[in-house]
Amino acid sequence: MLLELRNVTRRFGALAAVQAVSLDIEAGEFFTLLGPSGCGKTTLLRMIAGFDAPDQGDILLEGANLAGTPPERRPVHTVFQSYALFPHMSVADNVGFPLLMSRRTREEIVPLVREALAKVHLADKAADYPHELSGGQKQRVALARALVNRPRLLLLDEPLGALDAKLREEMRSELIRLQRDVGITFVFVTHAQTEALALSHRIAVMNAGRVEQVDTPERIYEQPVNRFVAEFIGTCNLIDATVAAATAAHLGLDLGTLGEVVAPAAPGIAVGERGTLALRPEQIRLSARGHAERLRNQFEATVRESLYLGDVTHYSVALANGRTLQALAANSGSARAQLFSTGDAVTVAWRHDAGHFLR
Amino acid sequence: MKPTRSVGHGQRGKAAGMRSRLSRWLVAAPPSLFLALFFLAPSLIMAGASFRFPGELGGLAPLTASAAHGSDHGLTLEAYAFVFGDWVYLWICLKSFAIAAVTTLACLALAYPLAMLIAASPRKRRDLLVLLVILPFASNFLVRVYAWMIVLGPMDLLYTQTAVLIAMVYVHLPFMILPLYINLEKHDPALLDAAQDLGANAWRRFWHVTFPLSLPGVFAGSALVFIPVLGMFAVPELLGGTRDILIGNLIKEQFLDNRDWPLGAALSLVLTAMVLALAWGTLRLARARTRGLA
Amino acid sequence: MTLKLPLLWLLAAVVYAFLYVPLAVVVLFSFNDSALNAGWVGFTTRWYELLLADADMLSAAANSLLVATVASIAATILGTMAGLAIHRYRPRLLPALVLTPVAMPEILLGVSLLLFFRQVLDLTLGLASIVIAHITFSIGFVAIVVRARLQGMDEAIFEAARDLGATPWRSFRHVTLPLILPAIVAGALMAFTLSIDDFVITFFTAGVGVTTLPLQIYSMIKVAVTPEVNAVSTLLMALTLTLIAVAARIAPESIRARG
């Protein structure tokens, strides 16, 4: 285990910013702390970096307790949201800074800096100053600087937040490649769920100072453990349900006036339990009334609203009991024929193995 | 979720906490100690001195020799009784206040149009115009007062109240122009466009948009003019007649000419009280009028 | 701004004339071959020659330079520390200690120091008391400039230095100091000009034996208006202009911070 957090708690006055968080992060992992603003993810990151100390609990790096170790003596580097490049130093001096601080000689520093800059495709910018660089270039310098003396752990605090959408996508692929190449463990903090899903080996979803779920991106998305995770990651239809039947393969769920639907089985769920059926918009199929394919879960509905987004169209449809569902239809193939407008009568349907029952 | 400055240190971070307390002490202690010794202590001693008896040969009478004054603890309200018992002192305090007020208003009237013009100028010319305001300001205070002695001499205005006022305005004008300009420069021109778009004419745009937004600058400039004028002694001394003295001249007289230090200290405390009352009043007014404008 | 610009320009011209005409008169009369500051008689440099032969004036100038040098060095060090401490550690008392001497009427600082030196320390007034007084009021100006510079910077830069392996001292040496150096230079120049220029506080803390340039000018104009004062005023203006030009070149902050 590379990094262990044991019951880490940090309070600011009456506010518990981080409450009893325990996490294990393995060497070589791309691990993401994901959550809304104020969930405690940055506080957690700052405690790992050494800028803040837990009130209770321990942070262990390779088994050694970090308490009392100042930031400069931790083999942990941070890529700051604002990049925090030193404005009075050239790109090369910025990247050479951690080497200088560890008292390497000039002869050692020069080739290492050159290599680090080559890795982020900035070999030709060594003599430039930060104010001469674009946002994406600053980002790369910050990465090169934090990686140049091979820390055990790299912390990234919303590093893509300040970039525009197109650059963000580029940097996403770049980060994955870089992490694979250097083999250093990344702990990434973000509030953007798409980033987290795209980049991470594992994600810890945080809310109000607590970790709600730690899992792979697929499981976080497809099998959220509670309503918070389901709603925070992507859009999700949450429908109150009571378990009417439970077999090894399926659950029968009673949706009240709507009737019964079938959902995939989940371990340990008993008949009579009340909970929520979480259904992703893309799992719902819309078809013109009378033209529906035969699916187990099927309801009549009316289109309330449609948002054409290019690749997909987002629909809000109202069921017979007035409940609204969000549905997503891909605009591929004979897309035109599948466009509905407000007021259209449609059939909504989803497969028997779609959705996920939350207690 | 902005990175928060660490408020306290967790109990586990004791070693790091001690190190940071040490560097904090190393940085903060020298200026704190220096100013505590040479600013705070003298100010407190001054307050104490106003309750003492004057010495035989000037200065303060020793606390032990106070029996001669018929007091067993060496402290007295005599100096204050003197200040508040004589109409002349109250009159001079009031006059100082009035001169400071008139000077401030005159500075405001002269500075506002100029600050507006500078703020509305293209960037390059703006820097030049600001520099032109600062340059005379950088010449020695006495030189600036002296210049008016030469100019006003032939005009038969020397040693009059008018001369005092002109020089007061002259010496303090940049203190009003600069804060006003710094404030006006920050205004978003789109606000005026919006006001015009919504039907406001030039005067209404000024009165309803520019002026209210500039109030923080007005208050800052006024404080920077009013307070030094209130304590000024050199300008009346050099340009005013014998009847034009202000509270600053009274204080100076007690410390250097009459050597009645308790009276000088009491007058200094009265001046301090006036300044504090003014600062407090301005701050309250500024808070009330400029909520959300900072 | 769609204001009546011609009117504004006229008002501005009046204000600028108000600012410059008196000083121009001083400069002009410093070259006037007449002992009266009345009409123009002819060009001369004799007032400057007189000035350079005036032993009192020269010793006052030497005192001023000495005081300004010592006071500005000390005030720069203490003021930089104060600016750093206020920005970084948010002390409760220090901001008031630093800013009040800047904000209050000078006469109050002058007389309280006079009282303190004479009554408490029983010090003979002289160069030492002047230097201490000048340091006291200059610290605030330096601290304001340094703090303003720090406020304009991304806090994360200093954390990044620590994060990348710099001890607090090396972080200061390699990152903080180079970044605030322009403000420190600006503050030093301000402290120097404030000290050279100061009259009021020096007036109370100088005692009898010692004079500085402003004190010398004061005692001269108190007695009579002579062209020699015009000459020394002109020289002083030239000196301040030079200092401002230097400041503008190496530290543009100093110009703005004077407001």
Side-chain angles (χ1 to χ4, degrees):
Chain A
M1 203 57 56
L2 183 71
L3 183 75
E4 289 167 71
L5 305 186
R6 290 195 198 137
N7 268 314
V8 171
T9 297
R10 178 74 175 109
R11 291 185 201 88
F12 296 110
L15 174 81
V18 173
Q19 299 185 59
V21 166
S22 295
L23 284 173
D24 291 331
I25 296 171
E26 283 173 57
E29 246 190 318
F30 197 125
F31 190 91
T32 297
L33 296 170
L34 172 67
S37 303
C39 73
K41 56 192 193 297
T42 295
T43 306
L44 204 53
L45 202 71
R46 290 175 61 78
M47 289 192 285
I48 300 172
F51 296 120
D52 202 351
D55 294 311
Q56 278 149 34
D58 295 301
I59 300 174
L60 286 79
L61 188 71
E62 295 179 313
N65 199 323
L66 287 179
T69 308
E72 67 266 25
R73 295 225 306 270
R74 300 185 181 199
V76 174
H77 289 343
T78 308
V79 174
F80 291 83
Q81 183 169 18
S82 60
Y83 318 130
L85 299 182
F86 304 124
H88 60 301
M89 296 183 196
S90 67
V91 166
D93 288 344
N94 262 284
V95 176
F97 185 83
L99 299 168
L100 187 71
M101 289 302 117
S102 52
R103 308 211 178 260
R104 305 285 196 94
T105 63
R106 227 189 128 58
E107 290 69 45
E108 289 174 289
I109 293 177
V110 171
L112 284 171
V113 167
R114 196 180 300 134
E115 188 191 331
L117 283 176
K119 219 171 252 163
V120 294
H121 314 300
L122 283 175
D124 55 329
K125 297 285 182 195
D128 285 19
Y129 278 81
H131 66 91
E132 298 171 290
L133 303 178
S134 69
Q137 289 169 335
K138 285 183 193 164
Q139 171 77 80
R140 286 161 204 266
V141 176
L143 274 166
R145 184 177 72 173
L147 288 169
V148 69
N149 67 347
R150 303 198 52 85
R152 305 295 298 140
L153 189 64
L154 184 73
L155 308 175
L156 301 103
D157 186 6
E158 307 247 8
L160 307 182
L163 302 178
D164 62 53
K166 185 111 184 85
L167 214 51
R168 202 159 14 193
E169 271 176 43
E170 271 177 46
M171 279 312 297
R172 234 153 52 184
S173 326
E174 188 78 23
L175 274 178
I176 294 177
R177 181 189 63 79
L178 205 59
Q179 201 260 341
R180 207 173 36 219
D181 284 2
V182 297
I184 287 171
T185 310
F186 280 26
V187 175
F188 185 87
V189 156
T190 185
H191 66 270
Q193 32 108 3
T194 43
E195 252 167 54
L197 294 175
L199 292 169
S200 322
H201 296 132
R202 284 194 305 152
I203 298 173
V205 181
M206 289 189 68
N207 179 34
R210 295 182 185 281
V211 171
E212 301 279 356
Q213 184 173 3
V214 185
D215 242 321
T216 60
E218 296 80 10
R219 287 180 57 90
I220 292 268
Y221 189 78
E222 286 163 19
Q223 292 168 39
V225 295
N226 56 32
R227 290 179 74 116
F228 175 81
V229 177
E231 278 189 298
F232 188 73
I233 314 290
T235 317
C236 202
N237 294 297
L238 296 172
I239 308 163
D240 291 336
T242 311
V243 179
T247 69
H250 298 295
L251 292 177
L253 297 177
D254 182 4
L255 301 188
T257 54
L258 286 175
E260 224 177 273
V261 294
V262 176
I269 303 273
V271 172
E273 268 191 76
R274 302 178 61 82
T276 306
L277 172 63
L279 202 57
R280 297 286 177 190
E282 68 274 17
Q283 293 176 315
I284 295 179
R285 309 226 182 127
L286 290 188
S287 40
R289 208 160 288 168
H291 293 78
E293 43 181 325
R294 288 201 48 76
L295 288 177
R296 175 60 186 79
N297 306 315
Q298 200 157 305
F299 298 94
E300 304 289 284
T302 312
V303 175
R304 278 279 163 79
E305 207 175 86
S306 71
L307 286 175
Y308 178 74
L309 300 177
D311 51 349
V312 291
T313 301
H314 193 143
Y315 293 102
S316 283
V317 298
L319 298 178
N321 67 347
R323 216 216 116 87
T324 313
L325 289 182
Q326 309 297 322
L328 210 57
N331 291 333
S332 54
S334 49
R336 283 283 142 206
Q338 291 172 12
L339 281 178
F340 301 104
S341 30
T342 307
D344 284 359
V346 291
T347 302
V348 297
W350 63 89
R351 289 171 56 95
H352 62 281
D353 55 358
H356 177 67
F357 181 75
L358 301 172
R359 249 185 265 209
Chain B
M1 188 154 73
K2 290 280 149 281
T4 40
R5 191 184 304 272
S6 143
V7 181
H9 286 270
Q11 51 170 0
R12 303 308 183 92
K14 260 185 195 146
M18 260 164 67
R19 238 189 318 277
S20 97
R21 264 198 297 280
L22 178 69
S23 49
R24 176 190 167 135
W25 194 86
L26 280 175
V27 175
S32 303
L33 291 176
F34 186 92
L35 290 167
L37 183 59
F38 292 113
F39 165 60
L40 192 61
S43 303
L44 296 175
I45 286 162
M46 166 86 96
S50 69
F51 298 103
R52 302 271 295 270
F53 290 103
E56 300 284 327
L57 306 163
L60 305 177
L63 282 170
T64 45
S66 55
H69 298 276
S71 158
D72 50 2
H73 43 61
L75 297 177
T76 174
L77 287 171
E78 209 172 65
Y80 289 99
F82 201 70
V83 173
F84 291 106
D86 192 337
W87 274 109
V88 173
Y89 289 109
L90 284 183
W91 171 243
I92 289 175
C93 286
L94 276 179
K95 197 171 66 178
S96 304
F97 215 86
I99 294 264
V102 173
T103 305
T104 305
L105 287 177
C107 282
L108 189 60
L110 287 175
Y112 209 106
L114 185 63
M116 269 174 88
L117 182 88
I118 299 177
S121 299
R123 177 155 287 283
K124 269 211 169 141
R125 195 191 295 156
R126 216 187 286 176
D127 290 345
L128 178 69
L129 291 174
V130 171
L131 189 68
L132 284 177
V133 170
I134 294 170
L135 283 185
F137 176 39
S139 69
N140 188 285
F141 161 74
L142 286 171
V143 171
R144 281 176 287 156
V145 176
Y146 168 71
W148 283 102
M149 294 175 78
I150 300 185
V151 173
L152 295 176
M155 296 160 89
D156 265 343
L157 280 171
L158 210 48
Y159 312 122
T160 65
Q161 184 97 285
T162 318
V164 172
L165 269 173
I166 290 177
M168 288 285 203
V169 171
Y170 185 71
V171 168
H172 296 97
L173 188 55
F175 286 120
M176 184 67 90
I177 298 176
L178 294 179
L180 269 179
Y181 156 71
I182 287 168
N183 172 286
L184 288 168
E185 185 211 33
K186 285 187 294 197
H187 290 194
D188 181 357
L191 291 176
L192 289 177
D193 291 345
Q196 187 166 23
D197 184 63
L198 297 167
N201 62 25
W203 168 248
R204 285 168 156 260
R205 287 201 293 282
F206 172 77
W207 188 241
H208 291 287
V209 181
T210 305
F211 185 69
L213 284 174
S214 71
L215 281 176
V218 172
F219 287 130
S222 300
L224 287 178
V225 173
F226 205 107
I227 291 172
V229 173
L230 208 51
M232 180 65 70
F233 77 92
V235 172
E237 187 132 320
L238 292 170
L239 291 173
T242 41
R243 300 182 50 233
D244 297 321
I245 60 167
L246 302 177
I247 186 168
N249 303 79
L250 287 181
I251 295 173
K252 182 223 138 191
E253 264 172 33
Q254 303 317 316
F255 276 98
L256 297 183
D257 308 333
N258 297 352
R259 313 243 321 135
D260 185 346
W261 286 12
L263 181 56
L267 286 165
S268 299
L269 251 72
V270 170
L271 175 58
T272 309
M274 282 163 79
V275 169
L276 286 179
L278 198 83
W280 182 77
T282 316
L283 223 62
R284 283 207 47 158
L285 203 61
R287 286 231 180 92
R289 290 301 309 271
T290 63
R291 203 159 284 151
L293 291 182
Chain C
M1 235 179 253
T2 51
L3 287 150
K4 298 213 167 48
L5 281 175
L7 181 67
L8 266 188
W9 272 113
L10 186 70
L11 282 169
V14 170
V15 175
Y16 279 120
F18 177 63
L19 285 176
Y20 280 90
V21 167
L23 296 177
V25 169
V26 172
V27 175
L28 192 68
F29 279 152
S30 77
F31 296 103
N32 190 15
D33 197 2
S34 157
L36 303 167
N37 283 313
W40 179 257
V41 177
F43 181 85
T44 182
T45 54
R46 74 176 150 116
W47 306 119
Y48 290 90
E49 287 152 26
L50 206 62
L51 192 66
L52 294 176
D54 185 337
D56 287 349
M57 193 64 97
L58 291 180
S59 89
N63 283 340
S64 275
L65 277 178
L66 179 67
V67 167
T69 307
V70 178
S72 62
I73 290 172
T76 302
I77 294 169
L78 291 171
T80 302
M81 286 174 149
L84 272 168
I86 291 173
H87 179 75
R88 211 157 266 183
Y89 306 119
R90 313 277 149 120
R92 244 173 298 163
L93 195 60
L94 189 56
L97 278 181
V98 164
L99 296 178
T100 318
V102 171
M104 71 192 212
E106 287 177 283
I107 191 172
L108 290 176
L109 188 61
V111 293
S112 65
L113 278 171
L114 166 66
L115 190 67
F116 183 66
F117 288 141
R118 294 295 295 118
Q119 195 73 29
V120 180
L121 301 187
D122 199 18
L123 192 80
T124 309
L125 298 179
L127 287 179
S129 56
I130 301 177
V131 166
I132 289 174
H134 285 198
I135 297 171
T136 307
F137 71 75
S138 301
I139 287 178
F141 288 91
V142 179
I144 291 169
V145 189
V146 168
R147 181 167 174 236
R149 174 90 183 174
L150 284 165
Q151 275 176 326
M153 277 187 294
D154 180 6
E155 264 322 283
I157 288 173
F158 308 113
E159 289 190 342
R162 298 289 303 278
D163 186 70
L164 296 167
T167 58
W169 166 248
R170 300 189 91 198
S171 159
F172 176 76
R173 163 82 190 68
H174 288 275
V175 178
T176 313
L177 187 62
L179 284 174
I180 62 173
L181 195 60
I184 294 176
V185 173
L189 285 167
M190 275 174 74
F192 190 85
T193 17
L194 285 167
S195 170
I196 280 265
D197 270 352
D198 181 74
F199 163 65
V200 176
I201 292 168
T202 316
F203 184 69
F204 290 102
T205 51
V208 274
V210 181
T211 62
T212 63
L213 217 41
L215 290 186
Q216 184 68 20
I217 294 176
Y218 177 75
S219 61
M220 284 171 84
I221 60 182
K222 191 89 182 67
V223 179
V225 172
T226 75
E228 204 186 331
V229 179
N230 295 337
V232 71
S233 301
T234 305
L235 284 182
L236 258 181
M237 271 187 253
L239 175 73
T240 343
L241 280 182
T242 315
L243 277 177
I244 287 189
V246 172
R249 174 137 310 182
I250 56 181
E253 281 91 345
S254 59
I255 301 284
R256 293 197 166 269
R258 288 199 72 129

